[in-house]
Amino acid sequence: MSESTGHRPQSSPSQPDDSVQAELTRLRESIDNIDAAVVHMLAERFKCTQQVGVLKARHQLPPADPDREARQIARLRELAGSAKLDPAFAEKLLNFIIAEVIRHHETIADGAR
């Protein structure tokens, strides 16, 4: 203990050795690549859903399809479980995406009127 404060001096955090740092770098590069792939896949998904929105607007179909959404959520929860991903997380993610798609479809429908 330090005599003046009664506290122990702070120790500096240890730096990982070179092999640990190399493994962290390798894993983080993989994460970065996966993130890039996810962004590109979402972009492709939204290109398709925009086309669905145009088709729905053209034929005066509602922007939301609750039956389809429920089937998709059930399907994704099952896929998540088999992939060892938390199904509740997968459902939250899909609900977020669905809400954005519906918002796009409403905007497209408003523009078609």
Side-chain angles (χ1 to χ4, degrees), residues 38 42 45-46 73 76 85-100:
V38 167
L42 282 171
R45 188 185 196 287
F46 278 103
I73 289 168
L76 210 62
L85 178 68
D86 179 6
F89 171 78
E91 182 173 347
K92 286 178 194 174
L93 178 61
L94 187 59
N95 280 327
F96 180 78
I97 292 169
I98 288 170
E100 186 67 7

Side-chain angles (χ1 to χ4, degrees), residues 43-100:
E44 285 300 311
R45 188 185 196 287
F46 278 103
K47 285 178 190 174
C48 292
T49 60
Q50 289 291 100
Q51 292 173 22
V52 168
V54 169
L55 189 61
K56 284 181 170 184
R58 190 177 299 141
H59 296 280
Q60 293 84 43
L61 296 171
D65 184 345
D67 291 338
R68 161 94 174 142
E69 293 158 22
R71 287 191 309 274
Q72 283 297 94
I73 289 168
R75 180 177 156 271
L76 210 62
R77 285 184 66 92
E78 187 176 320
L79 286 169
S82 66
K84 307 293 187 245
L85 178 68
D86 179 6
F89 171 78
E91 182 173 347
K92 286 178 194 174
L93 178 61
L94 187 59
N95 280 327
F96 180 78
I97 292 169
I98 288 170
E100 186 67 7

